[in-house]
Amino acid sequence: MIRPTLPSFHVCDLSPAWQSALIGALVSLPVAVVVNWMPNSEATISGSIMIIGAFLAGVIAALRSADPDAAGFRAGLLAGVVGVSTLTLSVVGNALGGGIEAWPLSRVVFVVVAGVLFLCVAPVFGLVFGRVGGGFTTTVISRLVTGTTES
């Protein structure tokens, strides 16, 4: 009997680093919500993606034999885009709602410079935390394989 094979449908072909970054970013969102429930805490979505998402992206990349640095960098880039988009949408929403008056030039320049700086710094933090997540995973797996429990 001949069985028909279904064609393989790929929505989009992403590199393993981007896959790990997207998974890490999505998994870090509920963590940000839980952290916000704690007293005296203010976790932002972009901060959660930049730190926790990049760490998890590094872990996932190390488990998939991909580059954890690249996955963390990409998760940090996603965090930067989310952070700047959030800032832009809140400013535009307030301006359209009549909540703010016209800004002086110095404030506009500050917001633009801060957004660009955040877009530059977030991937670096993501790279660092992705490397930490990858190193953590490599260390734990190597100790589980060898049976070593000493530091």
Side-chain angles (χ1 to χ4, degrees):
M1 179 161 149
I2 299 174
R3 293 185 182 200
T5 59
L6 296 174
S8 175
F9 292 108
H10 294 284
V11 175
C12 59
D13 292 324
L14 295 174
S15 69
W18 273 112
Q19 290 175 357
S20 302
L22 286 172
I23 293 170
L26 291 174
V27 170
S28 69
L29 296 178
V31 175
V33 171
V34 170
V35 169
N36 271 334
W37 285 344
M38 294 181 188
N40 298 325
S41 69
E42 285 293 324
T44 62
I45 294 171
S46 58
S48 175
I49 294 172
M50 185 173 28
I51 296 172
I52 299 167
F55 180 85
L56 293 173
V59 169
I60 294 166
L63 291 174
R64 292 182 172 184
S65 299
D67 187 14
D69 296 350
F73 183 84
R74 285 166 174 83
L77 185 65
L78 288 173
V81 169
V82 167
V84 170
S85 299
T86 304
L87 174 66
T88 304
L89 288 176
S90 66
V91 168
V92 169
N94 284 339
L96 292 177
I100 59 173
E101 297 174 8
W103 279 4
L105 181 61
S106 61
R107 186 178 294 178
V108 172
V109 169
F110 173 76
V111 168
V112 169
V113 168
V116 169
L117 182 66
F118 189 71
L119 277 175
C120 293
V121 171
V124 175
F125 273 96
L127 180 122
V128 169
F129 282 99
R131 182 173 288 182
V132 169
F136 175 78
T137 303
T138 305
T139 302
V140 168
I141 288 177
S142 67
R143 288 188 181 204
L144 288 175
V145 169
T146 60
T148 306
T149 58
E150 298 175 9
S151 297

